[in-house]
Amino acid sequence: MSAPVGILGGTFDPIHFGHLRLAQEVADELRLSVVRFVPSGTPPHRAEPGASAVHRLAMVRLAVAGNPLFMVDEREAGKTGPGYTVDTLTALRAEVGPAQPLVLLLGADAFLDLATWSRWHQLFELAHIAVAYRPGFPVDTWQSRMPQPLAAEYNTRLMRQPFAVHVAPAGGIVVVSIAALDISATLIRETTRSGGNARYLLPDSIYQYIQEHGLYTGN
Ligand code: ATP
């Protein structure tokens, strides 16, 4: 059994420093062997994204290039219908075998939304969940913002010792404190759309890609 494998799913519309710090800091804190970035195809929880799956995937490829801890997992990006995290984790679990620890990385906003996800209880049979702080979602409000079924899972599964993700393949929740970056893809799309400059919210290579392809300029 090798060190836990991290999975960071997202629309990545576009990928930005909030995503990259989340992946880096959780990987460092939990000593993950790799973080697999999984860009969505057509996401089930929101309207059509601003950029096509082809562009979003290309930007994730650019962003992870050069970091040996990061890789792109293209299994959802190629799908035209909705892709569900539970299906992605089931496929990955089949590939890595029953003993390999898997860790699903989520920002606090995504975690608080978890009970709306398809077959969300099954996620705990497939992976651990690492929740990272995100500005706007202070920890002392989490309990009151969690629906009761999620609070029940949180209270029974919370592991105080982050390294516990190494000793079981799935089923725990760990909370990781990361640098608070109040950056969202929405902010980048809106800044670009209104003629502002999104530079330094995301890697220069992604900023240049957006310029070259004229992304996020429409209404
Ligand atoms: P949008 O603004 O379009 O909703 P987003 O910036 O929230 O997008 P997603 O692709 O939806 O990005 O997020 C993927 C994952 O990354 C989610 O788990 C989300 O909580 C997390 N995440 C995104 N930005 C941050 C951030 N600044 N800090 C911590 N986690 C983040």
Side-chain angles (χ1 to χ4, degrees):
M1 178 167 77
S2 60
V5 170
I7 300 105
L8 176 58
T11 318
F12 301 122
D13 191 20
I15 192 166
H16 54 71
F17 284 134
H19 299 125
L20 293 163
R21 285 306 304 176
L22 165 66
Q24 184 67 50
E25 294 195 38
V26 175
D28 290 346
E29 174 82 12
L30 303 184
R31 305 232 189 286
L32 304 181
S33 56
V34 65
V35 177
R36 303 174 74 99
F37 286 68
V38 190
S40 62
T42 303
H45 289 126
R46 43 183 272 176
E48 269 303 302
S52 69
V54 170
H55 282 312
R56 291 184 291 107
L57 173 60
M59 290 188 278
V60 174
R61 283 206 195 104
L62 280 174
V64 307
N67 187 333
L69 256 183
F70 293 172
M71 62 171 283
V72 186
D73 183 323
E74 303 190 7
R75 75 185 74 219
E76 283 187 24
K79 288 186 185 163
T80 46
Y84 293 108
T85 302
V86 67
D87 296 326
T88 298
L89 288 179
T90 301
L92 189 57
R93 172 57 71 199
E95 287 168 25
V96 300
Q100 171 67 52
L102 297 176
V103 182
L104 181 65
L105 278 51
L106 297 175
D109 58 314
F111 178 72
L112 293 174
D113 206 29
L114 197 68
T116 67
W117 291 22
S118 180
R119 290 159 282 151
W120 67 278
H121 285 287
Q122 273 183 42
L123 296 171
F124 296 107
E125 293 161 24
L126 295 161
H128 300 291
I129 291 186
V131 190
Y133 296 160
R134 186 168 187 181
F137 299 86
V139 189
D140 53 3
T141 66
W142 285 9
Q143 288 282 358
S144 61
R145 292 168 85 159
M146 276 182 223
Q148 200 282 325
L150 182 61
E153 295 283 13
Y154 181 79
N155 290 328
T156 49
R157 297 180 180 282
L158 186 65
M159 304 189 299
R160 304 275 168 204
Q161 175 51 257
F163 219 65
V165 299
H166 284 249
V167 298
I173 296 175
V174 291
V175 176
V176 182
S177 168
I178 64 171
L181 297 180
D182 197 1
I183 299 172
S184 67
T186 303
L187 172 67
I188 293 166
R189 292 194 303 275
E190 286 178 355
T191 302
T192 307
R193 194 161 290 146
S194 61
N197 193 328
R199 201 166 180 197
Y200 310 123
L201 295 171
L202 70 181
D204 269 345
S205 57
I206 315 301
Y207 175 74
Q208 277 159 19
Y209 186 97
I210 290 169
Q211 302 291 303
E212 277 163 25
H213 295 271
L215 303 182
Y216 310 123
T217 51
N219 292 312

